[in-house]
Amino acid sequence: MPAWFHLGGSSFYYEVLIGRRDARNASWNDANRNLPAPFFNFSQLISNFQAHGLDLKDLVLLSGGHSIGLARCTTFRARIYNDTNIDKCFAASVQQVCPVSGGDNNTQPLDSTPARFDNVYYKALWKSQGLLHSDQDLFKGDNSESDRLVRYYSYLPGHFARDFGASMIKMGNMKPLTGNDGEVRLNCRKNN
Ligand code: HEM
């Protein structure tokens, strides 16, 4: 089934598999056990993704999801005060939003165009302006495979759009529920 999303000019398209089953309930503990943390370094991110059958390319592409949305101060405070691989002007400006103490729920866009799905996220990593430690660890300036992927997608937005869709499908194929487990939702926002 075609899924379109239009966010501020660019139009991304990829085919999604229909009839996917959602769980009827969610688990706080399972989520915390499986989700990567924003302070993870590169090797922790890779291990986490590999444990779910996703590779380096998927990690770089799916992190591009951070082209959209915001993060709370608690998730990037350690980065903006302690990290060394951060643009000084960028750190100073984000520190205005996220003080050393207090303001835990203050938010900052994950890239400079948070309502537009584009490849600006990757361009920011080049400039050491990644908001999360986990974002910036994808680009270290050491010409690693990860660096090369970040450069590639920052040059080629069309390739980012195409490959992002493929990685989303791959992520959606992780342990899909089958048989009578879960349900196909009539309204994707809530249980039937
Ligand atoms: C690579 C490992 C990842 C880490 C460590 C990570 C971490 C985070 C954190 C800490 C936030 C802010 C949450 C908050 O402050 O409450 C966030 C937001 C977000 N993440 Fe990720 N994430 C990762 C992967 C992904 C993936 C794979 C996607 C989707 C393809 C994604 C899409 C988003 C979006 C859209 C937001 C913004 C949510 C909003 O504005 O409400 N992230 N992420």
Side-chain angles (χ1 to χ4, degrees):
M1 177 188 262
W4 284 95
F5 50 107
H6 284 261
L7 285 159
S10 357
S11 144
F12 285 82
Y13 164 87
Y14 57 89
E15 300 269 337
V16 299
L17 297 163
I18 55 171
R20 298 272 109 171
R21 305 180 76 81
D22 272 295
R24 289 194 183 85
N25 47 44
S27 160
W28 172 271
N29 288 334
D30 280 356
N32 283 341
R33 246 193 308 279
N34 285 294
L35 284 177
F39 48 81
F40 271 14
N41 64 28
F42 179 73
S43 62
Q44 291 170 310
L45 290 166
I46 281 285
S47 311
N48 179 287
F49 270 58
Q50 280 177 349
H52 294 99
L54 300 170
D55 59 22
L56 168 65
K57 195 172 166 197
D58 299 313
L59 170 62
V60 172
L61 281 162
L62 291 170
S63 295
H66 289 171
S67 173
I68 296 291
L70 314 172
R72 284 163 308 130
C73 178
T74 45
T75 67
F76 55 81
R77 180 181 280 122
R79 164 153 174 77
I80 59 171
Y81 289 100
N82 305 334
D83 280 3
T84 50
N85 60 345
I86 187 165
D87 175 86
K88 288 203 168 53
C89 277
F90 174 71
S93 101
V94 183
Q95 284 168 6
Q96 300 297 308
V97 175
C98 180
V100 177
S101 67
D104 286 3
N105 291 325
N106 294 356
T107 54
Q108 173 72 16
L110 283 153
D111 79 355
S112 58
T113 56
R116 187 184 284 261
F117 197 80
D118 56 19
N119 65 341
V120 164
Y121 166 82
Y122 296 109
K123 295 178 200 238
L125 299 186
W126 269 71
K127 295 185 276 183
S128 303
Q129 293 180 357
L131 185 63
L132 306 180
H133 182 85
S134 54
D135 291 328
Q136 194 59 55
D137 245 34
L138 303 178
F139 187 87
K140 297 226 191 60
D142 58 3
N143 205 30
S144 59
E145 182 65 21
S146 181
D147 274 22
R148 285 200 290 273
L149 285 165
V150 169
R151 263 195 222 107
Y152 180 74
Y153 292 120
S154 65
Y155 280 134
L156 299 166
H159 289 223
F160 168 53
R162 180 194 66 196
D163 297 351
F164 179 80
S167 283
M168 285 293 283
I169 299 293
K170 194 169 163 187
M171 183 165 66
N173 281 338
M174 278 162 38
K175 301 194 206 144
L177 296 177
T178 55
N180 288 324
D181 287 343
E183 62 190 15
V184 177
R185 287 188 181 170
L186 298 171
N187 174 344
C188 63
R189 288 164 176 264
K190 55 180 181 124
N191 287 4
N192 292 340

